[in-house]
Structures are given as structure tokens and as C-alpha cells.
Amino acid sequence: MKNAIIFGVTGQDGSHLADLLLEKNYKVIGVQRRSSNPSSQRINHLSNNGNFSLVEGDITDSHSVLNVFRGIDHVDEIYNLAAQSHVATSFKQPGLTWDITGKGCMNILQVMVEEGMFGARFYQASSSEMFGSSYSVSRDGVKYQDEDTKFLPQSPYAISKCAAHYAVRLFRQAYDLHASAGILFNHEGPRRGDNFVTKKITNWVVDFVVWLRDNLLAIEDLIYDTDYIYGKTLTQKFPKLKLGNLDAYRDWGYAGDYVNAMWLMLQQEQPDDYVICTGKTYTIREFLDGAFNYVNINNWSNFVSLDQSLYRPAEVEYLRGNCDKAKNKLGWEPKYNLDMLISLMIDSGLNDKLQNYARHI
Ligand code: NAP
Ligand code: G4F
């Protein structure tokens, strides 16, 4: 039986990766940082699985990383998914973001070397944010990013990810570590954190549909001001969806697909870096079109208000990946397109709400 350690197991990807590895009959040790309240909601379903366990640890503290490794007999695979992963937050907390997202990766690599863990394989969660404002152009004029596109990071988060990415390359060359980096484009799903744009939109749509139903309202009944939507009685009041820049392009895939690519990278004889993406790109406006259309609302303009405080000091305007290398070498392909992703997120949100209703009847 193989052993794997997941740093960042309580996050969106960590929870999907734990599911995948347990299905593959791994023993999985998840590293969870101390918090005053439980952070286990995404992995609660694994609490009775005998092959899954949690240890406390924090990647900003190399002693803590050392303790995690020394507490385990044998490790085959180490996945570093831990990060301060919110780009807007990184402008407000650049030092913390650096310590976790940049230095944290270096801490793990350095402890691996000092402990002589050369038999273990390492995965680093690199990001398409590292490309920032950079892109390549194909012969037919299409802008894209792949493994050869240069990095021009646009946020403290992206700078930290670049540092970690270069650390992986260095440790691979200098110490012959089997260390790979997946340059993953945005990936989403029902387990996505609430303050990322896709989840913020789909959560709002779910809550709005439930509010209409509870108040027996139709779209024709509604009245609008700058911040709120009102029903016929005016006491029925719902806040508009506040968003920032709607014109950025993102290449959005499904997180459940992407963790399989992480695992495939560590099954290769040679470590390497791979772009993982769908190859399609859409603006936030187009995501809004898809999400509102899914619940039969064909114009979202009355429901959304722009909030200047949600614009970032610098933006990544255009992301569209090319994952030919992953397709050819790993045999990996995305299974979800944008429509499937939107329906998955909204249906899951509605199911959760209905189950909550049922519990209270
Ligand atoms: P996420 O949901 O924000 O999860 C981040 C995880 O890191 C959480 O488990 C968090 O723990 C943990 N963590 C934070 N600080 C830590 C520390 N000091 N020590 C130990 N653990 C710590 O992120 P995600 O969407 O799953 O993404 C996984 C990784 O892929 C991240 O590194 C992210 O930057 C990268 N990435 C994500 C995407 C994407 O679109 N999702 C794309 C490219 C790259 P708590 O639960 O306690 O907060
Ligand atoms: O959903 P987002 O916050 O994701 P972002 O910044 O692309 O970062 C995500 O993907 C990266 C991979 O490319 C990961 F490395 C990173 O960890 C994270 O998972 O924002 C997407 C876009 C941005 O252009 C942002 O300006 O949506 C725009 N946006 C507009 N209104 C908003 C909002 N983003 C958020 N979070 N909240 C808004 O209200």
C-alpha cells in the first residue's frame, strides 16, 4: 500500500485529491493547521475511513514540517497544495502570502533533502497566475499560455508561486529530487471557497432562486434600487450581487478532473512541469450569462452591481491554457466544459439548500 502526505488537505483540491488517492487504495495522511474552529467540512466524509488520518502542521514552520515527516514511517508521495490562495487577499497580506505560498514550499523541499527523503516524489501546486500579463501567440493569432510562456506575475500571490516554482526546478536539478509542478489554470466546483468569483456567483444565484420561491415571487414582480432587489410588498428585500472586474478572461475547469493530473505527474519516471487547463476562455460576464441562463433568467444586469473595492490594484486580464504536453505525456484531458461546471455548482448548491429545508421540517 502506498503512503501519501497532503499539505492543504482541508482545501478544495486537497479534499478531492484525498478522495482520489483513497479510491486508489493509498494510505493518506492529511496535514491540517491549527485553527480555533474546525476547518474539516470538506473532509468530514472521510472521518471513518481507516486509511485516512490527520496530523497537525503548518508549512511556514520548518520544525513543524520536520515533525510531520518524522512521525511517519515511510512516504511515497508528498503533495503541497497548502497556500494563501486568494489573489486579492495577497495584496492586503503580502508578507503572510509570501511565508505560506512561497517560503512554505521551500521549507518542505529543504526538509526532504535534510531528512534524505530522496525516494519520495513531490508535487507542487503552481498556478497560471504566474503568467500574469504574459502570453504566447499561435500561428493563427490565438493568445495562449503553455510551459514555454514566460512569467510576468501581477500579484504578491503570483510572485510567491513563481518563487516556489523555481525552488522546485532548483531542487530537482541540484538534488535529483523527483519534484514536479502542475501549472494549473482556474478550477472550481461545489467545494470551491465562497470568495472566489465562480462560487460567489453560483451561491448568489442559488440563494436568489430560493428567496423567489419562499416569497412566491416572479421576475416580473421585482423592483430595483442601487443595492437591493424588492418584492411586491417592499419588505421582501434581497441584496444585489456585488462584483469587481467583469472583463477578465479565465480558463475554468473542474477541480475533480484536475487532481487526477496531479497524481499522473507523480507516476511518471521523470519529474517535470505541466500546464493543466481546458484550452477555452470566457469572461466573468460570460460566466454570469451561463449561471443566470441556467435558472432561466436571460438578463442579469438588474441583479449585479459593481463595487470598486473588489477591483484589484493589478489584474490578470487574459488566461487561456494549452495543455498539449499533459495530453501527450500524461494522457490527461479535462472532462468538464463551462456549462457542465455551472450546472454542477448550481445543482449542488440547490440540493444543499433543499436538504437543509428537509432537516428543519
Ligand atoms: P484552498 O481551498 O484555498 O486551500 C488551501 C489549503 O492550504 C487549505 O487546506 C488551507 O488550510 C491550507 N493552508 C493555508 N495556510 C497553511 C499553512 N500555513 N500551513 C498548512 N496549510 C495551510 O486552495 P485550492 O483551491 O484547494 O488550491 C490548492 C492549491 O492549488 C493552492 O496552493 C492554490 O494556490 C493552488 N492553485 C489553485 C488553483 C485553483 O483554481 N483552485 C489554480 C492554480 C493553483 P485552511 O483550511 O486551514 O485554510
Ligand atoms: O475567482 P478569482 O478570485 O480567481 P483568480 O484571481 O483567477 O485566482 C484563482 O485562480 C488562480 C489560477 O489562475 C489560482 F492560482 C488562485 O489561487 C485562485 O484559485 O477571480 C477571478 C476573476 C479576477 O479577474 C477577478 O478580478 O474574477 C474577478 N472578479 C470580479 N469580481 C472577482 C470578483 N473575483 C473575486 N474573487 N470576487 C469578486 O467579487
Side-chain angles (χ1 to χ4, degrees):
M1 186 181 245
K2 279 191 178 178
N3 272 11
I5 297 182
I6 304 177
F7 290 94
V9 73
T10 55
Q12 172 189 244
D13 291 7
S15 64
H16 280 294
L17 182 65
D19 289 346
L20 179 82
L21 295 179
L22 289 165
E23 269 166 41
K24 292 187 184 296
N25 208 27
Y26 278 59
K27 194 168 174 200
V28 176
I29 299 113
V31 183
Q32 181 175 30
R33 62 176 166 168
R34 191 259 159 195
S35 74
S36 64
N37 259 323
S39 57
S40 312
Q41 61 270 32
R42 295 184 178 103
I43 46 169
N44 276 341
H45 61 287
L46 301 177
S47 58
N48 293 324
N49 188 317
N51 289 329
F52 181 72
S53 58
L54 287 170
V55 293
E56 193 175 294
D58 192 306
I59 61 165
T60 59
D61 181 342
S62 53
H63 295 282
S64 167
V65 175
L66 186 65
N67 284 334
V68 168
F69 289 156
R70 286 195 178 162
I72 295 159
D73 284 345
H74 169 76
V75 184
D76 297 290
E77 296 173 11
I78 299 166
Y79 294 87
N80 178 30
L81 312 182
Q84 190 304 94
S85 74
H86 199 264
V87 175
T89 298
S90 79
F91 285 99
K92 293 172 186 149
Q93 299 180 19
L96 179 82
T97 304
W98 169 255
D99 285 348
I100 303 174
T101 309
K103 204 181 105 198
C105 171
M106 184 80 99
N107 284 342
I108 299 173
L109 291 168
Q110 187 64 30
V111 173
M112 283 178 74
V113 169
E114 284 173 11
E115 289 294 287
M117 297 169 70
F118 297 102
R121 298 184 171 191
F122 176 80
Y123 173 85
Q124 165 62 13
S126 288
S127 166
S128 53
E129 274 287 307
M130 300 187 307
F131 295 120
S133 49
S134 163
Y135 51 83
S136 307
V137 184
S138 71
R139 278 198 204 124
D140 45 0
V142 177
K143 295 192 286 180
Y144 68 94
Q145 291 97 2
D146 69 5
E147 294 81 2
D148 296 323
T149 307
K150 70 176 176 186
F151 299 144
L152 272 177
Q154 288 281 85
S155 65
Y157 168 81
I159 290 170
S160 307
K161 281 289 182 193
C162 284
H165 187 78
Y166 286 129
V168 170
R169 282 204 165 184
L170 175 65
F171 277 65
R172 184 157 73 206
Q173 284 164 16
Y175 302 108
D176 215 16
L177 273 188
H178 193 295
S180 296
I183 305 174
L184 271 56
F185 283 61
N186 299 50
H187 45 280
E188 321 291 316
R191 299 185 195 177
R192 185 57 143 154
D194 289 341
N195 59 356
F196 295 91
V197 79
T198 56
K199 191 70 184 308
K200 193 169 161 182
I201 293 170
T202 52
N203 275 351
W204 190 95
V205 167
V206 166
D207 289 344
F208 181 63
V209 167
V210 171
W211 178 75
L212 286 176
R213 194 191 76 160
D214 287 352
N215 288 285
L216 304 173
L217 290 166
I219 299 291
E220 307 75 66
D221 300 328
L222 303 176
I223 303 159
Y224 310 91
D225 72 11
T226 319
D227 293 322
Y228 288 95
I229 301 156
Y230 299 89
K232 287 172 285 201
T233 64
L234 293 184
T235 53
Q236 303 156 318
K237 181 176 164 188
F238 196 83
K240 287 190 176 179
L241 170 59
K242 288 193 177 166
L243 292 174
N245 180 17
L246 304 184
D247 296 313
Y249 285 83
R250 289 292 182 272
D251 176 334
W252 280 296
Y254 171 48
D257 277 353
Y258 284 34
V259 293
N260 196 33
M262 300 175 188
W263 176 76
L264 283 167
M265 285 178 218
L266 296 205
Q267 311 317 306
Q268 306 307 302
E269 206 167 307
Q270 295 303 324
D272 208 343
D273 302 332
Y274 296 88
V275 158
I276 300 298
C277 61
T278 69
K280 306 272 191 306
T281 191
Y282 301 93
T283 60
I284 321 301
R285 286 179 196 284
E286 288 170 307
F287 192 96
L288 283 163
D289 289 340
F292 279 84
N293 278 332
Y294 190 67
V295 294
N296 299 320
I297 300 174
N298 54 24
N299 181 356
W300 44 261
S301 59
N302 279 329
F303 305 111
V304 175
S305 70
L306 294 185
D307 180 343
Q308 289 305 317
S309 72
L310 295 169
Y311 283 71
R312 297 170 184 183
E315 178 61 277
V316 171
E317 300 291 353
Y318 181 89
L319 288 175
R320 177 184 192 162
N322 174 331
C323 62
D324 284 352
K325 180 175 171 182
K327 282 183 185 163
N328 295 330
K329 291 200 163 178
L330 305 178
W332 179 88
E333 291 210 41
K335 296 193 180 75
Y336 276 68
N337 64 28
L338 190 72
D339 286 341
M340 291 159 77
L341 182 63
I342 288 171
S343 58
L344 178 71
M345 292 177 79
I346 294 183
D347 286 346
S348 150
L350 285 170
N351 278 339
D352 287 350
K353 288 272 156 176
L354 293 177
Q355 275 175 19
N356 275 339
Y357 272 110
R359 261 184 234 121
H360 289 100
I361 291 172

